[in-house]
């Protein structure tokens, strides 16, 4: 039966979700695809986000906030051509069409991108997993050498203009590629040389690349085998400038910097939202490092990740890139609607649907190629007009011209990292959304309930999603300080750990080894006024999952057999608890409990927390519980309190050892959200982290009347699912960062963290480095 051919754009659906690729951005790309001509000069205000790149402008060009007036502009005579790889590759425009694999895309899109590169004289990446037969016929492509080597042999490597040695990607640094088994159909199986229906999960590291020197051997092996230029693609993480320097020294022809927010066919949401740095910070850092070391001339820097228009590309080139990579923009110009379901194989616009031999519906290859060719021509015309407005003759004249840029609403530290003038610096504290309705969004509740199995997908697993991140602080509004903190992705400078194939220890030990937690997650704080069946389910879950419950009140009598898994503040003589003391007179009551049970001091997060924690350690308590009480006057944010308490305990020595040794720091608050908060708080200094509102929302309990529709076993099952899924997501973050044991390697390891565009005063209190400064 003949396929139904799609050759027109679908209506853009309305969405309540925040989106980087918003409707105005989609409409602009569609106009380029339809006309092949310039539509505007500058990005209108309605398309701008909170990212630093959108708070940098070219000086003296007459921004009007509406896109710029093109009336009176003739075709530009500026030369947009660029040379890459020490002059071995020439492009008509500084565009690299991003690496998207056959399998992640359904075939027609791969063909259209490759053919458009041939027609327009740019270059197209092909992604991991071999080549579609029609893509292999194209000349202006690169072939990717990734960790799994799917579908790649010497014949494939000799196809095209260059080789891309993929170390990582922006959507999941420190992890390998992931193609769900539902999309591994017969054509994909043949191309990748893997079984039908089985997940294709590439190893996190290359198992023959564990150092810069190993990388150099692989670069030269590929060069000697093919005679082609070799680019190295990395996900942008903490040590990006060191890696770029190493690539240049080891003989690489260029580096593809794939940054946070970059698109993907499938990735764990927790990694996509919390690992990696923005492209503008990476480009500025890499360009600066290469120039200092006299390695910049001829070495190519390609910038990828949320490059949405010609102005973005121009600004990135002014910051130091030679060329911009676009991937999601290509899909949008071929009809993508940003429904974020690529990994499921049911794409409404047929770009990422399952690849079948005889599909019922098919995207028109001719129309898709036409759209792609027009996109490149229209984009290039807009870029040339920008060069005209900047009074520059060639693309090369723009590279590294940071003096043409000025920031606005940037703090001075971020402006310094970018190498631009701050302009109207942001001097107010980092703003946070505080209202409950803004904090616990529908999207956040949905994700928690997916982890618990309350709705949708198979529970107990990490949430998988596709396309770029829509998380805070640059798309969704930030609600915690943690939203400005990103974790590291281990690449080259140290190996990542594959969470799918290698063991990562998540257990932690409290009270000098008396209490073992299966993951650094505790349930709490909860109040005794909650429905009895919910309290019973919480207590039983704490017991079955190897964690503890922090309950503000006396547990029911029938649950006293679980007393060792319950922390109760106050009643020292209470047989069901007595683990926690609080109040101004706590020092006078310590001796009543000494030696009987593990004893903790509960502290509201405040400026006095570090001093009180030191006092508690000197009096031989087992630890402190930092409670982010939202009603406490003068409270500190939990992130700040955790870091300052940990640092204070490490400074004071007793018998030659820091007080922090064998003394626990537990952080908890009603607004601890997801596994990423737990991971970051542990890296800031917590041994374990409490979740409460997140747990009740996950099981479907939001208000009192919800209790009637839930039974105790159902609540317990969902809580167990949530803890298991949280543990798995923490393992993903740990593996990406190269952490094999949370208890011995993660706690207090702030070097794994970077602050992105955070207010410097807050960052200094957290004791973490700013992104882009090593």
């Amino acid at each position: 039966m003949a396929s139904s051919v799609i050759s027109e754009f679908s209506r853009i659906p309305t969405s309540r979700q925040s989106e980087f690729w918003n409707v105005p951005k989609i409409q602009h790309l569609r106009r380029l695809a339809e006309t092949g001509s310039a539509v505007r000069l500058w990005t209108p205000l309605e398309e701008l986000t909170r990212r630093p790149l959108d708070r940098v402008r070219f000086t003296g060009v007459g921004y009007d906030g509406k896109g710029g007036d093109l009336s009176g502009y003739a075709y530009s005579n500026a030369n947009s051509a660029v040379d890459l790889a020490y002059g071995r590759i020439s492009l008509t425009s500084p565009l690299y069409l991003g690496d998207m694999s056959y399998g992640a895309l359904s075939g027609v899109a791969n063909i259209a991108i490759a053919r458009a590169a041939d027609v327009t004289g740019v270059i197209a990446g092909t992604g991991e997993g071999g080549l579609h037969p029609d893509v292999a016929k194209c000349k202006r492509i690169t072939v990717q050498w990734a960790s799994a080597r799917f579908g790649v042999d010497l014949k494939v490597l000799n196809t095209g203009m260059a080789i891309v040695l993929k170390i990582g990607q922006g959507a999941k640094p420190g992890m390998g590629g992931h193609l769900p088994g539902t999309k591994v159909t017969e054509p994909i199986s043949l191309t990748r040389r893997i079984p039908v229906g089985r997940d294709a999960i590439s190893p996190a590291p290359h198992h023959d690349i564990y150092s810069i020197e190993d990388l150099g051997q692989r670069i030269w092996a590929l060069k000697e085998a093919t005679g082609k230029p070799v680019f190295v693609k990395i996900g942008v993480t903490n040590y990006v400038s060191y890696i770029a320097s190493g690539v240049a020294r080891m003989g690489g022809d260029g580096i593809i910097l794939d940054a946070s927010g970059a698109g993907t066919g499938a990735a764990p949401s927790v990694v996509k939202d919390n690992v990696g740095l923005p492209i503008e910070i990476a480009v500025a850092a890499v360009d600066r490092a290469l120039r200092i070391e006299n390695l910049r001339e001829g070495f190519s820097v390609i910038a990828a990740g949320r490059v949405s228009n010609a102005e973005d590309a121009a600004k990135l080139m002014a910051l130091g890139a030679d060329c911009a990579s676009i991937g999601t923009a290509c899909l949008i110009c071929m009809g993508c609607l940003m429904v974020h379901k690529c990994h499921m194989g049911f794409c409404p616009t047929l770009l990422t649907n399952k690849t079948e031999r005889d599909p019922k519906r098919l995207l028109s290859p001719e129309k898709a190629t036409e759209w792609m060719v027009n996109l490149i021509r229209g984009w290039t015309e807009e870029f040339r007009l920008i060069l005209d407005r900047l009074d520059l003759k060639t693309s090369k004249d723009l590279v590294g011209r940071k003096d043409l840029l000025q920031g606005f609403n940037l703090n001075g530290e971020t402006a310094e990292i970018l190498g631009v003038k701050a302009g109207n610096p942001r001097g107010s504290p980092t703003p946070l959304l505080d209202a409950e309705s803004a904090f616990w969004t529908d999207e956040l509740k949905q994700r928690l309930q997916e982890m618990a199995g309350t709705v949708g997908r198979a529970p107990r697993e990490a949430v998988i999603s596709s396309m770029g991140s829509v998380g805070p602080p640059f798309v969704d509004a930030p609600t915690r300080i943690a939203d400005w903190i990103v974790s590291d992705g281990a690449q080259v400078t140290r190996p990542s750990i594959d969470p799918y194939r290698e063991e990562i220890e998540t257990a932690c030990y409290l009270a000098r080894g008396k209490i073992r937690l299966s993951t650094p997650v505790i349930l709490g704080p909860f109040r005794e006024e909650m429905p009895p069946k919910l309290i019973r389910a919480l207590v039983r879950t704490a017991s079955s999952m190897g964690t503890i419950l922090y309950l503000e009140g006396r547990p029911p009598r029938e649950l006293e057999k679980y007393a060792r898994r319950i922390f109760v503040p106050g009643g020292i003589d209470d047989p069901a608890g007595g683990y926690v003391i609080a109040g101004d007179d706590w020092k006078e009551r310590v001796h009543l409990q000494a030696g009987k049970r593990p004893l903790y001091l509960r502290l509201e997060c405040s400026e006095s927390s570090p001093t009180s924690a030191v006092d508690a350690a000197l009096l031989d308590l087992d630890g402190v519980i930092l409670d982010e009480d939202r009603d406490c006057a003068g409270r500190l944010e939990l992130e700040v309190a955790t870091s300052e308490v940990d640092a204070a305990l490490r400074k004071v020595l007793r018998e030659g050892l820091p007080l922090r040794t064998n003394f626990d720091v537990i952080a908890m608050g009603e607004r601890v959200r997801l596994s990423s908060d737990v991971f970051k708080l542990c890296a800031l200094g917590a041994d374990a982290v409490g979740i409460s509102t997140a747990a009740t929302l996950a099981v479907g309990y939001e208000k009192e009347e919800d209790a009637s529709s839930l039974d105790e076993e159902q609540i317990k099952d969902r809580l167990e699912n949530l803890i298991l899924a949280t543990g798995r997501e923490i393992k993903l973050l740990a593996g990406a960062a190269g952490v094999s044991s949370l208890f011995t390697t993660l706690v207090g390891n702030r070097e794994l963290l970077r602050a992105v565009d955070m207010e410097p005063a807050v960052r200094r209190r957290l004791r973490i480095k700013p992104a882009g400064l090593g």
Side-chain angles (χ1 to χ4, degrees), residues 20 25 43 45 47-57 280 306 308-309 311-312 315 408 410 474:
F20 175 82
K25 279 189 172 73
T43 307
L45 291 177
E47 291 187 27
L48 298 181
T49 67
R50 300 177 184 86
R51 63 176 177 160
L53 191 65
D54 284 341
R55 287 180 278 132
V56 171
R57 293 175 179 166
E280 55 270 37
R306 287 182 175 157
S308 63
N309 53 50
E311 187 191 353
D312 283 355
K315 288 191 285 191
F408 65 99
L410 278 179
F474 302 134

Side-chain angles (χ1 to χ4, degrees), residues 706-754:
D706 293 335
S708 61
S709 61
L710 299 169
D711 63 60
E712 184 177 326
E713 290 301 319
Q714 188 180 45
I715 296 170
K716 177 175 173 289
D717 287 346
R718 291 175 180 179
L719 287 169
E720 290 176 346
N721 290 339
L722 177 67
I723 291 174
L724 285 168
T726 299
R728 291 196 170 120
E729 290 197 341
I730 290 172
K731 281 186 177 183
L732 291 171
L733 289 171
V739 171
S740 60
S741 169
L742 271 60
F743 188 63
T744 60
T745 311
L746 176 63
V747 175
N749 189 353
R750 297 173 188 82
E751 181 58 25
L752 294 175
L753 305 178
R754 290 293 183 271

Side-chain angles (χ1 to χ4, degrees), residues 71 281 314 318 330 393 402 423-424 469 667 671 674 706-707:
S71 60
I281 287 175
C330 295
K393 302 301 182 185
K402 300 179 180 70
N424 178 26
S469 169
R671 287 192 167 190
L674 296 163
D706 293 335

Side-chain angles (χ1 to χ4, degrees), residues 556-593:
R557 286 289 181 185
E558 70 267 24
L559 297 177
E560 288 184 1
K561 61 183 177 181
Y562 300 109
R564 61 188 299 272
R565 287 292 175 181
I566 306 173
F567 279 24
V568 179
I572 294 241
D573 297 322
D574 188 333
Y579 288 90
V580 183
I581 57 175
D584 295 336
D585 62 342
W586 67 269
K587 292 181 184 178
E588 301 169 12
R589 297 186 287 133
V590 169
H591 70 281
L592 298 174
Q593 179 68 11

Side-chain angles (χ1 to χ4, degrees), residues 362-442:
L362 183 69
L363 177 65
S364 166
E366 294 75 22
K367 195 65 178 179
T369 303
E370 176 189 328
W371 283 333
M372 276 300 310
V373 169
N374 282 345
L375 171 72
I376 295 164
R377 288 173 174 165
W379 183 297
T380 301
E381 188 174 333
E382 289 188 349
F383 178 76
R384 287 174 175 159
L385 291 173
I386 291 172
L387 291 179
D388 276 348
R389 184 62 70 92
L390 297 173
D391 198 25
L392 301 174
K393 302 301 182 185
T394 69
S395 295
K396 188 174 181 180
D397 294 337
L398 179 59
V399 176
R401 289 292 306 275
K402 300 179 180 70
D403 60 296
L404 297 175
L405 298 171
Q406 180 165 331
F408 65 99
N409 291 330
L410 278 179
N411 66 59
E413 191 170 78
T414 300
E416 180 183 358
I417 290 166
L418 293 175
V420 304
K421 292 170 285 189
N424 178 26
R426 188 179 70 213
S428 59
T430 301
L432 295 169
L433 290 180
D434 198 58
E436 287 296 315
S437 59
F439 192 92
W440 297 104
T441 62
D442 290 342

